[in-house]
Amino acid sequence: MTGDLKILVIDEDPVRAAILKEGLSDGGHLCVEWIADTSNLYARISALDPDVVLIDLENPNRDVLEQMFQVSREVKRPIAMFVDQSDSAMITASVDAGVSAYIVDGLRKDRIKPILDMTISRFNAFSRLQRELDDTKTQLEERKIIDRAKGILMRQKSIGEDEAYALLRRNAMNQKKKIAEIAASVVTAADLLS
C-alpha cells in the first residue's frame, strides 16, 4: 500500500477531526475524506472505498463501539481507532473485530503519521498471516480428501497407496484439474454408490 492514500476520518467532533486532518496533512496525506455523522456508516464507507480508516471516539459507549467493530469486521482495511477511555474488554473486542491500532488518549497531530504507518504495517502483516492460514487450511482439507479417495481406490481396485495416488495424479493431468478435484469426484461417486 503506497502512493497517495485515500484516508477516511470518522469523527463526530469537528475539533478532533481537524487534529486528525492536520496530522495527516503534515504527514503528506492530502486525500482525506471526513464523515461526521456515523449513521449508515457501513454503506458510506463502502461508497467512499478508502485505503485506510481512522476512527476517533472521544468517549465511546458500548453501542457506538459495537457499530464501529461491525464496520471494522466488514471493511477489511487498515483501521486505527482513537479513544480517550478504554478497558481491556474494549481492547480485546477491537482487536477481534480487526482494528489494526487501538490508541488510548493519543490524539495529537504529531503522532498521526507514525500511527498511520504502524496501522498499515500491522494490517499488512496480519493479512499475510491470514492468507497463510487460509492456504494451510485449504491444503489440509485437500490432503484429507485425497487420503479418503486413495482409500476408496485401494479398496475398489485392490491396489496399494502409491498406485492409488498415481491413478489420481494421472487422471488429474489428463483432465487438467487439481488432484484434489479428482479426489473429490471419487469421494462423491463413492458416497452416491454406497
Side-chain angles (χ1 to χ4, degrees):
M1 194 172 292
T2 57
D4 198 16
L5 296 172
K6 186 175 179 182
I7 301 170
L8 175 61
V9 171
I10 301 171
D11 196 331
E12 293 179 332
D13 183 335
V15 174
R16 294 173 63 90
I19 294 170
L20 284 167
K21 290 191 285 187
E22 285 176 29
L24 291 168
S25 178
D26 289 352
H29 298 286
L30 303 176
C31 187
V32 178
E33 298 279 342
W34 172 38
I35 293 178
D37 177 11
T38 57
S39 63
N40 200 16
L41 197 53
Y42 178 69
R44 296 170 72 192
I45 292 173
S46 296
L48 290 170
D49 192 27
D51 297 309
V52 182
V53 179
L54 302 181
I55 302 170
D56 180 40
L57 303 170
E58 186 176 3
N59 290 307
N61 62 41
R62 290 278 175 199
D63 291 341
V64 171
L65 278 175
E66 184 52 42
Q67 181 185 3
M68 294 302 167
F69 294 159
Q70 183 178 6
V71 166
S72 65
R73 279 190 291 266
E74 301 294 328
V75 167
K76 306 288 186 213
R77 297 282 192 279
I79 297 175
M81 185 175 285
F82 294 83
V83 296
D84 280 352
Q85 299 173 0
S86 186
D87 58 38
S88 59
M90 287 184 193
I91 293 170
T92 300
S94 68
V95 170
D96 288 347
V99 171
S100 303
Y102 188 88
I103 297 93
V104 180
D105 197 23
L107 185 60
R108 290 192 341 246
K109 77 174 194 177
D110 62 316
R111 293 187 65 205
I112 303 303
K113 171 80 167 103
I115 289 171
L116 176 72
D117 293 343
M118 185 267 303
T119 300
I120 294 169
S121 293
R122 289 194 65 193
F123 176 81
N124 289 338
F126 182 79
S127 295
R128 186 175 49 254
L129 288 173
Q130 187 64 50
R131 279 193 305 274
E132 290 172 4
L133 177 63
D134 292 344
D135 289 347
T136 300
K137 284 181 178 177
T138 299
Q139 290 171 0
L140 184 60
E141 289 303 314
E142 288 178 351
R143 178 72 182 223
K144 285 180 184 177
I145 202 85
I146 289 170
D147 285 346
R148 195 163 162 216
K150 283 191 305 187
I152 292 167
L153 291 173
M154 289 166 63
R155 281 191 305 278
Q156 294 291 322
K157 294 187 165 285
S158 299
I159 58 177
E161 183 176 353
D162 290 344
E163 286 178 277
Y165 184 77
L167 184 58
L168 288 170
R169 187 168 174 229
R170 190 170 45 251
N171 274 281
M173 289 174 63
N174 289 341
Q175 296 182 37
K176 296 185 173 137
K177 292 184 176 181
K178 292 174 64 177
I179 294 175
E181 292 176 275
I182 299 299
S185 298
V186 170
V187 170
T188 300
D191 287 346
L192 287 173
L193 297 173
S194 63

